[in-house]
């Protein structure tokens, strides 16, 4: 057979030389999570019985998901309703300002609030323990619900709202009879994302001294020296996270967030007192979720920063996040380009999504087990600094590839559908098409993806904590170490830098969304 | 040897046939038009010819060479075909000149640029060589797409509803321009459309598809005058139908009898009458329910014995409440069921 005559199956598309590479890359992403499940099934000869820890951890995580996630749901839904439908001062600004709390990982908010409410701090309300964590989750994660609901309200159903109003549905009934039913998938999708974050969080739960699945993994591994027990807890956490991911995917499938079709609805006029209440609500969310913790960290950092102690972690963070983002980006591009050509490669997207749902601690321990097995087989030596960094980069790739694929796919999707076919019929082979068509078109979204990935890695705590080489501190690790020692004043500077890094992609993304709405 | 030959081409999606045993031979036809409603399989057939999708059974030959079969698939970039898309598919990050030059990368840089310039000149757009796709009007973009395709000197050009996004006037103008350019360059073409009058206008050979099946392949005059089936007749314009039995070598409709040579006496059959093959004059036979302007014709709705038909008649006809009806033999057919 001539080399240019390829055997094909009856798949929808014929030429997909990228698909095998994409599947391989996706397998790389899912491997640590699979390793956790595999090793957790092994025989345990540990004296430590994980039963009680697992039960307490599961109850703790579920309680936080219900209370913290429920709070995020309520706050996000109200904010989305106000901003989407009501006319009040500052509405247009709140449209994008209200996503700012996403810039801070939960542990940064936790450290800030802990020092705010300390004895002698400016806030007399104690924010601590279970309710403290639930508050931090609600105020930090409501933007997931806000974003999803706003898209749900505005995306495709504009005409449904207009039809309802023309049929005489009163403005007060509009929310209950039309808005909520139409936005319910979005509510579920946003809530599932918030739940995923809460389940995966290690730093805040640890700081508030709570037993959750995430903190239980660490305790079983380090305090009790029981790796199999730790992996069993990790496997339960993984299943929980996958359940949330599945809920999110299903809900989103029914309510696509299609920014290109956003259209601002005609707004409802409010009474003066209602306008004041709407403004007050949104302003309070912004204040508690971003302005107050950010300002407080900045004030502490100005007073207590020791620049010498910060230089090395900052450099390490930039290096690690830079290399990690580039590695993740190339895998993301490969998968996105393959999935665009070939429906079979879309399976790679799904597989990579498993890594995305898995909490950092789960993936890190999974990677650790794989390296341990390789060492036992004599394939590698001990987990020295070089190998540990490789394992860490692997966990970043596994964890964030799916996050990188999303913006790249969106960028590619903006190009006319037939570009690839047009280039093919003009005689360009698949690799020339990738280099001269896909890559240039995806360039702006590649930049956005790189920034998102960089910041995600800067914010990542548990995996970095587990796999970093000895004495290799990042900003996140440093903030966590200070906070664990009750040295919250010194934790402020690294926490502030993480917060600031998180703002950059948010500002760019939300500007893009606001433009799409107009 | 014909340029394009399809034999028993089938394509299934999830078990359902998008194309069912389609056989076609383009002969020496300049333009083969594929006509059908959406979902008829005409665009799928075009993608199969281009090699953008594999087929499940049958084979496709280009210039005598098998390019697609159940086991073989020549990559689209190796078929020396050209394709013009409904959305133009111009590369948004390249100028008009860059787009036309894209397929000429085997030439040296100077020769490539000269060829791109010459082709843009040919479609009357040399002044727009540096313009980017978003700066071009719909008609300009279509002409750049045509130049880009023809520049590679394909042995056959596939056009997928190339004018459907354009307004009527521009559409007719561009269609004429495209046909002329294709004829001048001696390029064979396959033209997909859902517009029957467009298909009749452009086609040297007309293939009518429906539900994945080929209803008829014929030159346009023959397809219009001698449809192979009721469905084939309906594909080329509005028709009226009536079901009955053959009596005395004809099928009697409420509006008149249609001779049915060759059909068995007493067999059940369907009459199919083109709306433009009905002539009306003041009379008694049928009730004239309404008469309204309809483009170059007037649209008359007539009723007799509970059957309602539509007729396209010369405008401003003076008719009363009741009319007599003549069915022109050239547009009235009987098919056995």
């Amino acid at each position: 057979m001539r080399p240019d005559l390829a055997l094909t199956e009856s798949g929808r598309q014929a030429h997909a030389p990228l698909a095998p590479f994409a599947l391989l890359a996706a397998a790389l992403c899912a491997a640590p999570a699979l390793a956790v499940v595999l090793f957790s099934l092994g025989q345990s000869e540990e004296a430590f019985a994980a039963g009680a820890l697992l039960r307490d951890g599961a109850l703790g995580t579920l309680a936080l998901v219900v209370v913290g996630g429920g709070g995020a749901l309520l706050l996000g839904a109200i904010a989305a309703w106000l901003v989407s439908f009501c006319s009040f001062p500052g509405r247009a600004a709140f449209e994008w300002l209200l996503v700012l709390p996403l810039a801070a990982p939960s542990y940064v908010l936790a450290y800030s609030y802990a020092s705010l409410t300390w004895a002698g701090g400016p806030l007399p309300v104690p924010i601590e323990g279970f309710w403290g964590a639930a508050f931090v989750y609600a105020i930090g994660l409501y933007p997931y619900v806000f974003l999803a609901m706003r898209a749900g309200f505005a995306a495709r159903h504009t005409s449904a709202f207009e039809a309802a109003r023309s049929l005489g549905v009163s403005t007060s009934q509009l929310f209950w009879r039309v808005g909520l039913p139409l936005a319910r998938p979005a509510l579920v999708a946003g809530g599932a994302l918030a739940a995923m974050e809460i389940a995966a969080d290690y730093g805040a739960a640890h700081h508030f001294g709570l037993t959750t699945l995430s903190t239980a993994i660490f305790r079983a591994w380090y305090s009790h020296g029981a790796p199999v027990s730790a992996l069993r807890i990790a496997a339960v956490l993984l299943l929980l996270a996958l359940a949330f991911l599945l809920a999110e995917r299903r809900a989103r499938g029914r309510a696509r967030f299609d920014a290109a079709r956003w259209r601002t609805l005609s707004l409802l006029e409010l009474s003066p007192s209602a306008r004041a209440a709407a403004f007050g609500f949104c302003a309070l969310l912004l204040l508690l979720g971003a302005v107050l913790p950010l300002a407080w960290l900045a004030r502490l950092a100005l007073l207590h920063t020791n620049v010498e102690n910060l230089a090395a972690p900052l450099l390490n963070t930039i290096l690690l996040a830079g290399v990690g983002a580039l590695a993740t980006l190339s895998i993301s591009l490969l998968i996105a380009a393959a999935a665009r050509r070939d429906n079979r490669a879309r399976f790679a997207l799904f597989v990579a999504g498993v890594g995305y749902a898995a909490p950092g601690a789960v993936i890190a321990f999974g990677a650790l087990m794989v390296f341990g097995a390789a060492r036992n087989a004599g394939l590698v030596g001990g987990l020295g600094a070089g190998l540990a960094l490789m394992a860490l980069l692997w966990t970043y790739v596994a964890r964030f590839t799916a996050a990188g694929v999303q913006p790249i796919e969106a960028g590619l999707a903006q190009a006319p559908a037939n570009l690839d076919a047009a280039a093919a019929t003009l005689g360009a082979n698949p690799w020339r098409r990738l280099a001269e068509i896909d890559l240039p078109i995806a360039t702006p979204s590649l930049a956005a993806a790189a920034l998102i990935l960089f910041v995600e890695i800067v914010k990542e705590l548990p995996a970095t904590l587990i796999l970093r080489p000895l004495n290799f501190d990042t900003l996140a690790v440093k903030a966590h170490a200070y906070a664990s020692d009750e040295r919250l004043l010194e934790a402020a500077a690294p926490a502030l830098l993480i917060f600031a890094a998180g703002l950059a992609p948010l500002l760019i993304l939300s500007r893009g969304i606001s433009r799409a709405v107009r | 040897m014909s340029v394009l030959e399809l034999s028993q081409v089938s394509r299934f999606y999830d078990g359902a046939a998008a194309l069912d045993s389609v056989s076609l031979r383009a002969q020496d036809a300049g333009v083969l038009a594929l006509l059908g409603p959406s979902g008829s399989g005409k665009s799928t057939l075009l993608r199969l010819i281009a090699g953008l999708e594999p087929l499940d059974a049958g084979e496709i030959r280009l210039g005598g060479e098998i390019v697609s079969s159940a086991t073989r698939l020549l990559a689209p970039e190796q078929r020396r075909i050209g394709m013009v898309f409904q959305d133009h598919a111009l590369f948004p990050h390249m100028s008009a000149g860059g787009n036309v030059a894209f397929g000429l990368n085997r030439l040296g840089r100077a020769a490539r640029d000269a060829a791109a310039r010459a082709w843009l000149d040919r479609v009357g757009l040399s002044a727009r060589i540096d313009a980017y796709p978003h700066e071009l009007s719909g008609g300009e973009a279509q002409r750049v797409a045509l130049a880009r395709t023809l520049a590679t000197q394909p042995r056959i050009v596939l056009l997928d509803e190339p004018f459907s996004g354009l307004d009527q006037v521009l559409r007719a103008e561009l269609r004429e321009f495209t046909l002329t350019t294709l004829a001048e360059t001696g390029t064979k073409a396959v033209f997909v459309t859902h517009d029957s009058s467009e298909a009749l206008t452009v086609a040297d050979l007309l293939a009518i598809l429906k539900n994945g099946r080929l209803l008829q392949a014929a030159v346009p005059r023959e397809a219009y005058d001698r449809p192979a089936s009721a469905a084939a007749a309906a594909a080329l314009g509005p028709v009226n139908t009536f079901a009955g039995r053959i009596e005395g070598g004809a099928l009697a409709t409420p509006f008149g009898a249609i001779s049915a040579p060759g059909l068995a006496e007493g067999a059940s059959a369907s009459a199919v009458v083109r709306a433009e093959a009905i002539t009306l004059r003041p009379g008694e036979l049928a009730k004239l329910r309404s008469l309204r302007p309809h483009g170059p014709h007037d649209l008359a709705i007539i009723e007799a014995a509970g059957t309602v038909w539509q007729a396209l008649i010369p405008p401003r006809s003076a008719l009363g409440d009741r009319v007599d009806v003549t069915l022109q033999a050239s547009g009235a057919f009987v098919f056995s069921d």
Side-chain angles (χ1 to χ4, degrees), chain B residues 76-253:
Chain B
E77 61 265 26
Q78 287 157 341
R79 295 193 172 202
R80 295 207 297 116
I81 46 118
M83 193 152 172
V84 179
F85 297 85
Q86 187 176 339
D87 61 1
H88 320 315
L90 295 180
F91 307 127
H93 56 300
M94 297 179 194
S95 64
N99 266 280
V100 178
F102 183 87
L104 304 173
N105 62 320
R106 281 184 186 80
L107 304 178
R109 191 184 174 81
R112 189 170 64 215
D113 289 350
R117 188 172 292 278
W119 273 102
L120 279 175
D121 195 31
R122 174 151 205 165
V123 297
L125 286 175
S126 48
R128 305 289 274 150
I129 190 162
D130 293 321
Y132 279 82
H134 69 270
E135 299 166 327
L136 299 172
S137 70
E140 286 175 336
Q142 195 60 63
R143 282 187 282 166
V144 172
L146 185 67
R148 180 177 73 172
T149 303
L150 292 178
T152 61
Q153 295 177 296
R155 38 188 176 178
I156 190 163
V157 173
L158 313 174
L159 302 109
D160 191 5
E161 308 227 13
F163 312 125
S164 63
L166 307 170
D167 67 60
Q168 285 296 336
V169 177
L170 189 58
R171 187 177 175 136
E173 196 181 299
L174 257 178
R175 186 165 58 216
E176 193 48 45
F177 176 80
T178 303
L179 289 176
T180 311
T181 312
L182 287 173
E184 281 172 7
T185 53
T187 312
K188 312 258 185 266
V190 181
F191 190 110
V192 160
T193 179
H194 65 268
D195 180 332
S196 57
S197 60
E198 183 166 87
L200 287 165
T201 308
V202 303
D204 295 306
L205 179 67
L206 176 61
I208 303 170
L209 289 162
K210 192 179 179 188
N211 297 330
R213 290 173 171 275
L214 180 67
L215 297 180
Q216 186 170 14
V219 298
R221 186 79 264 160
E222 186 183 328
Y224 188 81
D225 289 345
R226 283 198 292 281
S229 63
L236 292 180
V239 293
N240 302 288
T241 57
F242 186 81
R245 289 188 182 281
I246 306 292
E247 282 167 21
L251 183 74
T253 79

Side-chain angles (χ1 to χ4, degrees), chain A residues 4-8 10-12 14-15 416-419 421-430 432-433 436-437 440-441, chain B residues 11 13 51-54 56 65 71-78 81 83 85 87 89-93 102-103 105 148 152:
Chain A
D4 56 2
L5 292 177
L7 266 173
T8 58
S10 43
R12 272 183 166 252
H15 298 276
N418 286 317
L419 288 192
T425 58
L426 291 168
N429 68 35
R432 184 175 172 219
R433 268 132 64 191
E436 292 186 28
I437 307 296
I441 287 172
Chain B
R11 176 73 172 134
Y13 292 141
L52 296 168
E53 282 184 44
D56 294 311
E65 177 198 13
T71 53
R72 292 184 158 192
L73 183 69
L74 186 67
E77 61 265 26
Q78 287 157 341
I81 46 118
M83 193 152 172
F85 297 85
D87 61 1
L90 295 180
F91 307 127
H93 56 300
F102 183 87
N105 62 320
R148 180 177 73 172
T152 61

Side-chain angles (χ1 to χ4, degrees), chain A residues 134-514:
Chain A
F135 167 76
V136 161
Y137 292 143
I139 203 69
L141 300 176
Y142 80 82
Y144 283 116
V145 182
F146 172 77
L147 280 172
M149 293 277 282
R150 243 179 78 50
F153 280 143
R156 296 195 278 189
H157 309 303
T158 320
S159 50
F161 284 102
E162 283 161 0
R165 289 176 86 171
S166 75
L167 290 169
V169 174
S170 77
T171 51
S172 57
Q173 283 181 316
L174 208 55
F175 176 74
W176 297 107
R177 291 184 56 189
V178 187
L180 204 58
L182 285 178
R184 200 170 46 203
L187 193 71
V188 173
L193 279 179
M196 245 165 81
E197 289 288 333
I198 293 173
D201 174 64
Y202 166 75
H206 176 261
H207 179 75
F208 287 113
L210 302 177
T211 303
T212 65
L213 287 171
S214 285
T215 57
I217 300 173
F218 276 79
R219 210 172 303 162
W221 188 290
Y222 292 114
S223 307
H224 299 283
V228 177
S229 302
L231 288 172
R232 286 186 183 160
I233 300 171
V236 172
L237 178 56
L238 178 65
L239 290 182
L240 190 66
L242 282 179
F244 290 139
L245 177 76
L246 229 58
E248 194 263 347
R249 290 281 152 88
R250 280 193 52 143
R252 201 170 45 154
R254 264 174 278 144
R256 292 181 164 272
F257 304 151
D258 191 347
R261 269 184 279 171
W262 282 24
R263 177 148 74 95
T264 308
L265 298 151
S266 50
L267 300 170
L268 306 179
E269 290 302 326
L270 299 178
S271 68
S273 56
R275 288 159 63 95
F279 175 84
F281 179 81
C282 292
L284 192 66
L285 276 191
L286 182 62
L287 183 74
L288 293 179
V291 176
L292 183 62
L294 187 62
W296 184 247
L297 286 177
R299 179 172 178 276
L300 292 186
L302 280 177
L303 292 177
H304 302 278
T305 299
N306 183 339
V307 176
E308 273 168 42
N309 287 348
L310 214 55
L314 182 62
L315 195 66
N316 287 344
T317 302
I318 291 172
L319 261 171
L320 199 58
V323 176
L326 281 183
T328 311
L329 190 67
S330 34
I331 304 267
S332 298
L333 175 64
L334 178 64
I335 292 180
R340 182 169 155 78
R341 295 242 172 75
D342 185 344
N343 284 318
R344 283 168 297 173
R346 295 205 72 80
F347 182 64
L349 263 180
F350 173 79
V351 174
V354 172
Y356 177 65
V362 173
I363 293 208
F365 281 122
L368 214 51
M369 293 310 291
V370 173
F371 273 92
R375 188 177 50 201
N376 290 345
L379 295 176
V380 295
L383 202 59
L387 218 51
L389 278 178
M390 266 185 58
L392 189 51
L393 284 178
W394 183 23
T395 62
Y396 291 151
V397 169
R399 178 96 171 75
F400 299 124
T401 289
V405 169
Q406 263 178 1
I408 299 174
E409 268 209 311
L412 288 175
Q414 282 174 358
N418 286 317
L419 288 192
D420 193 59
T425 58
L426 291 168
N429 68 35
W431 296 104
R432 184 175 172 219
R433 268 132 64 191
L434 181 66
E436 292 186 28
I437 307 296
D438 291 342
L439 201 60
I441 287 172
T443 299
S445 56
L446 278 177
L451 182 64
I452 290 170
L453 294 172
F454 183 88
V455 170
E456 285 289 351
I457 295 175
V458 169
K459 287 155 77 172
E460 208 289 330
L461 175 62
T464 315
L465 212 51
I466 293 164
L467 287 172
R468 79 205 156 97
L470 219 58
N471 296 326
F472 185 88
D473 286 338
T474 66
L475 291 174
V477 168
K478 205 76 190 162
H480 170 76
Y482 281 134
S484 298
D485 290 347
E486 301 280 323
R487 290 155 73 187
L488 284 171
L489 299 181
E490 283 149 286
L496 177 71
L497 285 175
I498 294 168
F499 206 146
L503 284 175
L506 273 186
L507 291 177
I508 290 171
L509 287 181
S510 54
R511 260 186 52 207
I513 290 172
S514 301

